[in-house]
Amino acid sequence: MDVGRSLTMVVIRQADLAGADASAVGAAAREYLRQTEQEKAERGLSPSLAGDALLPRSYQDEVDDPRKAYEGCRVLVAEVDHEVVGVVVVKPHGEGAEIKRLWAAPHLRGRGISSALLDAAIAEHSGTDVLRLSVWDWRTGAIRLYESRGVRAGAVVGRARPIALFPALGVDGSTGIGSAVLTRESGVGRSQP
């Protein structure tokens, strides 16, 4: 794919984790999770991963066997020129769902891939009572994307698609990951650890 020119067309579709997409989704999960662990290490929140060290076991399963790790989840991929360039994983959560992973190939960021995946996830879950997400507070690009969809800390985005972003304090008092749960009935956010 020539990254110097504009993207042809982004196709969002259900991932085939029992077949052709398992390897690409596993590779995307690996890149996403290694980046996350590196960012956490830079902030003193976890030990650094040396070289090609394995991820923590709870994450390594997503790389080795995404079909098993994401069982019961809705996994969508973004494809450009028949190449998987993005993934969103949405997990059922109580009365609704939670966006667990949202990733786009680093060399294609800023070209609408994450936007298309997020929009697809929101559209697919527009009838649920709760759609939850969380984000590390230093991921300003992701926060800008969520804010571009009207997401604010503890705010509801439309009555048909509740979704929230809520910065919280880490265990050590530092800012870090946070989330909020919003329901259509109340429209009130409740922070979740």
Side-chain angles (χ1 to χ4, degrees), residues 99-166:
I99 296 174
K100 297 297 290 180
R101 304 281 180 256
L102 177 59
W103 175 87
H107 67 283
L108 294 175
R109 290 188 181 149
R111 297 187 181 192
I113 293 165
S114 292
S115 297
L117 286 164
L118 179 61
D119 291 346
I122 291 170
E124 284 195 1
H125 293 86
S126 65
T128 62
D129 289 335
V130 176
L131 182 58
R132 174 181 167 175
L133 65 87
S134 58
V135 64
W136 290 101
D137 65 350
W138 60 77
R139 290 204 165 144
T140 57
I143 292 169
R144 279 193 307 271
L145 170 61
Y146 303 142
E147 288 175 341
S148 76
R149 299 304 186 269
V151 175
R152 299 289 182 266
V156 172
V157 177
R159 294 193 53 78
R161 2 179 261 270
I163 184 170
L165 168 68
F166 183 76

Side-chain angles (χ1 to χ4, degrees), residues 43 45 135-138 167-178:
R43 289 158 179 82
L45 299 174
V135 64
W136 290 101
D137 65 350
W138 60 77
L169 292 178
V171 177
D172 63 355
S174 63
T175 58
I177 195 167

Side-chain angles (χ1 to χ4, degrees), residues 6 31-32 34 40 67 89 110 146 156 167 171 182 184:
S6 63
E31 188 166 349
Y32 170 88
R34 287 192 70 78
K40 287 167 52 180
R67 178 181 173 188
V89 177
Y146 303 142
V156 172
V171 177
L182 299 161
R184 270 203 292 265

